């Protein structure tokens, strides 16, 4: 039975839903390998560095999850997310000295690649002579920045990029990261900018083969994806600093929904954004205040993420220091 909105599902029922979600999900490919990468990355970055402090680690989620409609998937439900927010935020977290686990939807926007054209291979390269290719002069700075900056942070062990496509892959990876990040307590942060599907077809009730057309309308039952944010906060990584995002198309309900997410899922911050203005402004909602963050071209920065990450890093520092007392 669906509960009227606003009513909380009891924790035991939620735990049972989550258990059943993970038990019935198709298992993650290379999960041992992925788990090992997370562990090595977090361990290495949590060791004391030259300044006597452990590096903070943030898991940035980015892009949208898909909902497969068939086990041998031909069709799926998707959403609009381009991964721009996650990619830009990753750059600013790295600049602020964080190590970043970038959990991103395959083929979405990547850190340091935001200035590249849509089809970089065809638009940036040109053929010279019989056997050489070179970067077109017009794009050479963007290509150089993308390659040198990405290679530098990956080589230094500061950026770990792992892709997902489906809701099943995403949630399994998020849980794995959280179990690893719990070892560094308040030094861990989750910045959950991915647009995660709210409804899905459970693997066990999904048809195996391609859905056939020709027999009239398609009736399909989607069930609600169990809300994992509360268990992330309470059970998976209880000391981590957690920021979730709330997107709405109706500005009238945006802040109310963000407030609800803050108290229901015990987030430290909720970043509220409206579809039409999300590149221009966001509102950071905490238990004490609502802070409007706007893109400020006059400061020479062309995105909202610069100021947003500055604010978040400052609040995370206060949070970490409250544990040192
Ligand atoms: O990925 P993008 O840059 O195109 O968009 C970012 C965003 C709007 C998906 C993000 O800011 C966000 O609100 N994510 C959470 C969406 C939600 O599930 O409510």
């Amino acid at each position: 039975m669906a509960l009227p909105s606003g009513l909380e599902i009891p924790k035991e029922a939620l735990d049972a839903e989550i258990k059943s979600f993970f038990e019935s999900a198709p298992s993650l490919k290379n999960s041992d390998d992925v788990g090992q990468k997370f562990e090595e990355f977090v361990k290495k970055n949590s060791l004391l560095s030259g300044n006597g402090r452990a590096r903070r680690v943030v898991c940035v989620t980015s892009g949208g999850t898909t909902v497969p409609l068939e086990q041998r998937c031909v069709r799926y439900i998707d959403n609009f997310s381009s991964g721009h927010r996650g990619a830009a935020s990753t750059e600013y977290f790295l600049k602020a000295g964080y190590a970043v686990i970038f959990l991103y939807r395959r083929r979405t926007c990547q850190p340091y690649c935001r200035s590249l054209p849509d089809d970089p291979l065809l638009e940036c390269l040109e053929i010279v002579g019989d056997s050489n290719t070179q970067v077109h002069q017009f794009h050479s700075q963007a290509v150089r920045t993308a390659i040198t900056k990405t290679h530098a942070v990956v080589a230094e062990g500061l950026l770990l990029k792992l892709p997902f496509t489906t809701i099943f892959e995403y949630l399994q990876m998020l849980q794995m990261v959280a179990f690893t990040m719990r070892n560094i307590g308040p030094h861990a942060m989750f910045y959950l900018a991915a647009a995660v599907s709210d409804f899905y077809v459970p693997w066990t009730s999904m048809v195996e083969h391609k859905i056939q057309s020709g027999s009239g309308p398609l009736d399909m039952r989607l069930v609600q994806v169990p809300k994992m944010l509360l268990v992330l906060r309470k059970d998976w990584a209880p000391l981590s600093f957690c920021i979730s995002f709330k997107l709405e198309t109706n500005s009238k309900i945006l802040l109310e929904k963000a407030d609800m997410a803050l108290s229901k899922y015990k987030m430290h911050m909720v970043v509220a954004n409206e579809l039409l203005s999300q590149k221009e402004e966001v509102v950071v909602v905490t238990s004490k205040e609502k802070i409007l963050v706007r893109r400020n071209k006059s400061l020479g920065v062309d995105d909202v993420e610069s100021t947003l990450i500055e604010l978040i890093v400052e609040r995370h520092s206060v949070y970490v220091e409250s544990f040192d007392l």
Side-chain angles (χ1 to χ4, degrees), residues 57-325:
V57 183
V58 57
C59 172
V60 173
T61 70
S62 183
T65 59
T66 66
V67 171
L69 300 184
E70 300 123 340
Q71 288 184 349
R72 300 190 190 198
C73 183
V74 173
R75 300 188 181 92
Y76 53 86
I77 299 173
D78 204 352
N79 64 59
F80 77 100
S81 173
S82 66
H84 186 277
R85 174 90 77 219
S89 305
T90 294
E91 293 173 25
Y92 291 113
F93 276 122
L94 286 162
K95 196 169 169 198
Y98 280 69
V100 182
I101 297 177
F102 182 61
L103 223 55
Y104 69 96
R105 163 72 182 280
R106 277 185 186 81
R107 290 187 284 279
T108 53
C109 188
Q110 297 294 300
Y112 305 117
C113 297
R114 290 182 287 143
S115 313
L116 295 178
D118 284 348
D119 195 341
L121 187 68
L122 294 180
E123 290 182 56
C124 294
L125 298 184
E126 57 187 354
I127 307 287
V128 221
D130 282 344
S131 56
N132 284 335
T133 27
Q134 70 180 24
V135 177
H136 202 288
Q137 183 61 32
F138 183 75
H139 294 296
S140 71
Q141 191 51 50
V143 171
R144 180 176 285 270
T145 306
I147 295 175
T148 51
K149 293 210 166 171
T150 307
H151 286 184
V153 286
V154 172
E156 281 177 74
L158 296 174
L159 175 63
L160 175 66
K161 302 205 288 182
L162 284 166
F164 63 81
T165 301
T166 67
I167 179 73
F168 302 110
E169 289 171 341
Y170 172 80
L171 288 174
Q172 289 179 86
M173 287 167 89
L174 184 66
Q175 189 189 45
M176 285 168 85
V177 183
F179 285 164
T180 311
M181 300 258 278
R182 69 190 295 160
N183 296 327
I184 57 167
H187 293 273
M189 188 200 296
F190 286 87
Y191 179 87
L192 305 165
V196 181
S197 325
D198 284 324
F199 301 98
Y200 79 119
V201 183
W203 192 254
T204 41
S205 52
M206 197 185 293
V207 293
E208 181 183 351
H209 291 284
K210 184 182 168 210
I211 296 166
Q212 297 297 304
S213 62
S215 47
L218 174 66
D219 284 326
M220 181 168 279
R221 188 176 158 79
L222 301 182
V223 303
Q224 195 170 303
V225 174
K227 299 288 181 196
M228 307 268 179
L229 290 185
L230 185 62
V231 286
L232 168 70
R233 269 289 285 127
K234 290 274 164 203
D235 304 335
W236 296 354
L239 296 182
S240 307
F241 192 70
C242 288
I243 300 144
S244 69
F245 279 71
K246 173 55 71 186
L247 175 82
E248 292 295 342
T249 52
N250 178 352
S251 58
K252 293 199 187 91
I253 61 168
L254 178 62
L255 293 182
E256 187 192 319
K257 297 290 286 237
D259 271 330
M260 211 188 282
L262 190 79
S263 63
K264 208 165 163 187
Y265 307 130
K266 316 283 180 233
M267 291 288 111
H268 295 97
M269 292 174 154
V270 174
V271 181
N273 51 177
E274 202 242 301
L275 188 64
L276 290 181
S277 60
Q278 50 113 350
K279 287 195 188 304
E280 300 301 319
E281 62 177 47
V282 298
V283 177
V284 178
V285 178
T286 74
S287 55
K288 296 200 181 81
E289 57 198 334
K290 293 188 174 46
I291 307 160
L292 176 66
V293 177
R294 287 185 65 81
R295 186 162 84 121
N296 193 339
K297 272 194 175 169
S298 61
L299 295 178
V301 196
D302 205 14
D303 50 46
V304 81
E305 287 81 8
S306 163
T307 319
L308 175 62
I309 302 310
E310 209 174 294
L311 173 71
I312 289 174
V313 167
E314 184 196 305
R315 297 303 163 96
H316 186 208
S317 292
V318 173
Y319 179 73
V320 171
E321 278 153 24
S322 72
F323 286 82
D324 293 340
L325 295 174

